[in-house]
Amino acid sequence: KLKALSLSPGQTHLDALADDFRLAYDGGATDSGFDQRVRFYEAVFLTETGLKHLNTSWRGESEISPGYALLACARESLRLSFL
């Protein structure tokens, strides 16, 4: 959710908080797949949220909609989950 909110104007600082939260939540876990799973579920959430925003573009919100930015962020999260 913090990644999605960080795409709003004036909220870019939340992106760093999202990474800090993930590291704090991890708590030094030794599971090597943890980060991959986090990135995958993050991508699913961002895609769902982006598509919801794009679905509202019929109301004339397409110029201000963060839908495309959310989808781009999801694509990047998914790419990172398979590195």
Side-chain angles (χ1 to χ4, degrees), residues 19-34:
D19 291 331
D20 290 344
F21 176 81
R22 182 182 50 78
L23 290 172
Y25 183 81
D26 178 315
T30 58
D31 180 6
S32 62
F34 178 79

Side-chain angles (χ1 to χ4, degrees), residues 26-42:
D26 178 315
T30 58
D31 180 6
S32 62
F34 178 79
D35 194 49
Q36 289 179 333
R37 288 191 303 277
V38 167
R39 297 291 184 186
F40 177 78
Y41 288 115
E42 180 179 78

Side-chain angles (χ1 to χ4, degrees), residues 1 8-9 11-12 18 22 24 26 29 32 34 38-41 44 46 50 59 61 63-64 67 75 80 82-83:
K1 181 92 176 168
S8 300
Q11 301 298 320
T12 55
R22 182 182 50 78
D26 178 315
S32 62
F34 178 79
V38 167
R39 297 291 184 186
F40 177 78
Y41 288 115
V44 170
L46 292 168
R59 295 188 295 193
E61 300 172 2
E63 291 80 31
I64 59 171
R75 189 175 302 117
L80 290 173
F82 290 103
L83 287 179

